[in-house]
Amino acid sequence: MSSTRGLLREAFAQAGVTGRLHAVDIDSGVEVDFGADQPVVTASVHKLCLLVTLHQRAAAGALDLTEQVECPADLRTPGPTGLSAMLDPVRMSLRDIAFLMMAVSDNTAADLLLARVGLDAVNLTTAALGLDRTHATHTFGELLATMKEDAGPGGAQALTDPHVIARLRALDPARGNRSTPRDMTRLLAAVWRDEACAPQHGPALRRLLGLQVWPHRMASGFPFDDVHVAGKTGSLPTLRNEVGVVEYPDGGRYAVAVFTRAASTAAILPAADAVIGTASRIAVDALRAEAGRAARGGAD
């Protein structure tokens, strides 16, 4: 698939980002590898690991997903969505908190769930699934705290300064929550094959991934009513990520993980968001073409 790698290289370059990608046909195992084993900062993509852990704990009888949790108005993890943005006390179930974590990437929701299951449990989950390059070192509140500390007195405004960006621990996969594109597609494939958790929890996991509201990254590459994209984004200064599964009406299903870093420090970069969809489409088209060749006995 050398031509596919060329198309991916060109797409990432035109968008002004460096990109890492792994895509795999969940049923045949045919793959597209573009830096698939390079360590990457997961940012909010790691919420998928937490979601799987939550359901594993529920399957083991260690918690009840309908358990009600209090979320007071103070001490919430900063963020622009969900509970993080609300002003008043809230009480809701663990499974509805998980919905907010996945649908709108709510940081407070994620940290409420982490307080319930623990970071060690998340790491035990990923290790048991064979995700050897995936590890969580901090909560989302702790992640944001390191950014505030590293940015210094300039605060959030300083995050447009390349010198400040260069010293953020949050952007170093050696010091923060991390994985690789291949590990993430392995996790997605396990979720879609009901291997990540007890099978009765599989539909709930896939449902929450399908409820993500953001259409501007991976889904932008598949603007068709009959193609379904379910995924989880992750964002930090200069970083834009998404991992997800693309399902076609003919039964084809493809796990894709795209991790990018932009040269520009601008917070709004539509091309950097859109290239995640473009790259995903290039990879999935290549996988579908390979499946077509295999069906024809290798003849083009």
Side-chain angles (χ1 to χ4, degrees), residues 180-214:
T180 65
R182 190 186 302 278
D183 264 10
M184 286 295 99
T185 59
R186 187 175 295 163
L187 177 57
L188 289 164
V191 170
W192 255 253
R193 290 196 295 251
D194 282 335
E195 297 170 353
C197 194
Q200 63 267 31
H201 285 262
L205 293 171
R206 295 188 287 273
R207 170 181 174 268
L208 289 183
L209 281 158
L211 291 175
Q212 180 179 240
V213 301
W214 319 126

Side-chain angles (χ1 to χ4, degrees), residues 27-296:
D27 298 297
S28 73
V30 176
E31 64 177 359
V32 172
D33 175 347
F34 193 84
D37 296 308
Q38 294 294 315
V40 291
V41 172
T42 46
S44 287
V45 164
H46 226 100
K47 291 168 182 169
L48 172 58
C49 303
L50 173 54
L51 177 69
V52 172
T53 304
L54 178 74
H55 279 262
Q56 284 192 352
R57 300 286 288 166
L63 57 82
D64 180 348
L65 291 172
T66 66
E67 174 185 327
Q68 297 290 307
V69 174
E70 300 287 346
C71 179
D74 57 349
L75 302 178
R76 289 182 180 173
T77 304
T81 62
L83 296 167
S84 292
M86 295 180 185
L87 301 177
D88 298 316
V90 174
R91 186 171 190 264
M92 63 171 56
S93 68
L94 288 173
R95 63 184 178 183
D96 281 345
I97 292 171
F99 158 69
L100 288 176
M101 175 180 73
M102 299 304 291
V104 296
S105 205
D106 182 346
N107 290 331
T108 292
D111 279 346
L112 284 171
L113 297 179
L114 275 173
R116 186 66 176 80
V117 304
L119 274 177
D120 288 345
V122 176
N123 288 324
L124 286 172
T125 293
T126 51
L129 290 169
L131 310 180
D132 299 332
R133 308 288 297 277
T134 301
H135 190 76
T137 63
H138 47 56
T139 69
F140 292 90
E142 290 166 347
L143 165 68
L144 296 171
T146 69
M147 289 177 56
K148 184 177 181 180
E149 182 179 333
D150 293 345
Q157 295 299 319
L159 295 178
T160 59
D161 182 340
H163 297 289
V164 174
I165 292 292
R167 67 173 182 252
L168 292 183
R169 286 169 284 172
L171 303 184
D172 182 356
R175 292 191 284 181
N177 294 352
R178 57 186 175 270
S179 184
T180 65
R182 190 186 302 278
D183 264 10
M184 286 295 99
T185 59
R186 187 175 295 163
L187 177 57
L188 289 164
V191 170
W192 255 253
R193 290 196 295 251
D194 282 335
E195 297 170 353
C197 194
Q200 63 267 31
H201 285 262
L205 293 171
R206 295 188 287 273
R207 170 181 174 268
L208 289 183
L209 281 158
L211 291 175
Q212 180 179 240
V213 301
W214 319 126
H216 59 307
R217 291 186 180 168
M218 191 173 289
S220 69
F222 305 90
F224 314 111
D225 290 342
D226 57 355
V227 176
H228 183 245
V229 178
K232 182 70 199 80
T233 57
S235 306
L236 284 172
T238 71
L239 301 187
R240 292 164 180 82
N241 310 326
E242 186 161 0
V243 304
V245 170
V246 183
E247 296 178 285
Y248 276 70
D250 61 5
R253 51 185 189 166
Y254 312 93
V256 186
V258 187
F259 293 81
T260 73
R261 183 163 186 175
S264 170
T265 61
I268 298 175
L269 282 175
D273 288 307
V275 77
I276 291 175
T278 302
S280 299
R281 178 68 180 277
I282 290 169
V284 170
D285 281 353
L287 293 176
R288 289 177 65 77
E290 185 66 23
R293 281 191 290 274
R296 295 191 298 274

